[in-house]
Amino acid sequence: MSQTTGRTVTTDDGIDLAVHEQGPTGAATVVLVHGYPDDHTVFDGVAAELEHRFRVVRYDVRGCGASGVPTSTRGYALPRLAADLGAVLDAVSPHEPVHLVAHDWGSIQAWEAVTDPAFADRLASFTSISGPSLDMAAIWLRGGARRPGAALTQLAHSYYVGLFQLPVLPELAARHGLVGALVTRSARAGTPWARRRPRLTPAVDDAVNGIELYRANIGARLARPRPRRTGVPVQVLAPTHDPHVTTALQTEAPRPFVDRLHTRSIVGNHWVVTQRPAMVAAKITEFIDHVTGGPLPRSLRPAQERPDGDFGGQLVLVTGGGSGIGRATCLELARRGADVVVADIDETTAKETATLVAETGREAWAYTLDVADPEAWDRLAEQVTTAHGVPDVVVNNAGIGMGGAFLDTSVDDWRRIIDVNLWGVIHGSRVFGRLLAERGEGGHVVNVASAAAFAPSRIMSAYGTTKAAVLALTESLRAELSFAGVGVTAVCPGFVDTNISRTTRFVGTDDAEQARLSARQQASYRRRNYTPERLARHLVDAVVADKPVAAISAEARFFQLGHRYVPALTRRLARLDLNQV
């Protein structure tokens, strides 16, 4: 971290504000405003991430940290707080507009400035986190909510606001640690996904002084809201597990009043700024890059600009997308509004699929990928994220078939099928699962297993083993990534008529027997007549429904039920040599 320097800015009513600066001089300025009952240190992690590109300015708001304390409740009124921000801007960036970022009550007071015409030329952008405009919130509570009951839900979340209007009692509660206990509780909301839980122990004086924010502003603004518009570009980051401010309030209330509004639901709780600083800093940086001339990230595109469909405007990546189930899945996702990255070991077929996707009106890009090569996965991730962003949905579909007895399967045979069918899924889940979790905006991973995962067989030991392993991996990964808001689904098809039926290798056979068994298998799959297109529709439906396991086709469901309820039957069926039937 670069050295942090401090200065004191004195407001026109005589309050000294402690201001802290870091990062390169001459760079664009980002001002971070904290909320209640914390001080500027709540942004330590975010500031450390931003300081490499921006000049970062933080200050303790009046009544907190090292700043002065007003002598009356009127000293905490929103116009007074907006004037404090103006004084800081006069001191740190008198001639250039700044990018404003605020959290909780810092955001509430920042909205006061953002909607004030006097600040129009002083703010280049505003990122609001867990803090609505009180004026906009009041109008929303009176009928602006889109979902019935949303206003009542928010009022239930804000139960403590009424208590803070009482005399004396809130101060006593704060001095006895009850405000700190409330902070600790809210910091734990939804946090099994958080690897670290930073200590959030507000200073007692800060907790006591900040109660005046509620008394000075809540009643007056809720009773007499002022509907003011703003042309400042605004990004709202709405944490999904915020126990104090609902996502609905944060994302819906500003819509009638902000000309350039972009909303994002991010996975985290009210204290996401301390628990996921890298993710928050990335969102801030993306937005600043956009408002200064860069492209608009997919997740910031307004709903009206996204194509219709379950996956309108989303980016999906499908391995083995050059043919069969992979190609059908690419096309089905495109029909439902997605842009598609087609990855396949065969460059020609990948490009063919990309052309077919483009004919549906969606964008598509073809990449060559050997799923067994971990370095190829890392290169693909770098190329795709740089050119298109992190995919919203990743389908690990690529696989190969292998038949024959266990005792006829060589070490090289095992190595090859494990490399493709299992390691290919591991690599894809590892690389893109991490990217999705770090992005913090949800997503989905689909791992294509097989009905063979439920059905032991004397003639498919290697293939069935890899698919059973994929199923087990997927179930575990779903549990882990659920706390990052990422869904994971194992798709278990039955007998689908694809290229795999023509390319399956039967170990322990000569060329003549290989040809006979291959022809026999192809004929049986054709008779079954379960097409890749039909499977793809069910696969995509499973993603929409966020199913943990999707057994697709009658035979897949039969073996799933048999494995669960009558395993003795599936073990007996495993003894059959279907190649001789």
Side-chain angles (χ1 to χ4, degrees), residues 18 70 88 106 118 162 185 204 244 300 315 393 513 567-568:
V88 172
R185 180 181 178 186
V204 172
H244 305 306
L300 284 179
L315 180 68
V393 180
E513 183 66 1

Side-chain angles (χ1 to χ4, degrees), residues 417-431:
I417 196 168
I418 289 174
D419 280 349
V420 175
N421 287 9
L422 180 55
W423 271 111
V425 173
I426 292 173
H427 294 320
S429 299
R430 174 184 58 84
V431 172

Side-chain angles (χ1 to χ4, degrees), residues 474-503:
T474 305
E475 295 267 37
S476 296
L477 188 64
R478 181 180 177 87
E480 180 174 347
L481 292 185
S482 65
F483 298 112
V486 178
V488 185
T489 297
V491 172
C492 300
F495 304 126
V496 182
D497 188 14
T498 67
N499 282 339
I500 201 169
S501 67
R502 293 178 281 280
T503 58

Side-chain angles (χ1 to χ4, degrees), residues 390-433:
V390 177
D392 299 281
V393 180
V394 176
V395 183
N396 291 306
N397 162 73
I400 59 174
M402 184 176 292
F406 171 82
L407 297 179
D408 291 329
T409 307
S410 69
V411 170
D412 287 340
D413 292 330
W414 275 104
R415 183 175 292 114
R416 176 58 180 159
I417 196 168
I418 289 174
D419 280 349
V420 175
N421 287 9
L422 180 55
W423 271 111
V425 173
I426 292 173
H427 294 320
S429 299
R430 174 184 58 84
V431 172
F432 284 99

Side-chain angles (χ1 to χ4, degrees), residues 323-343:
S323 62
I325 294 172
R327 173 173 289 181
T329 300
C330 290
L331 293 171
E332 181 64 23
L333 286 163
R335 293 187 191 100
R336 302 201 194 187
D339 296 325
V340 184
V341 173
V342 185

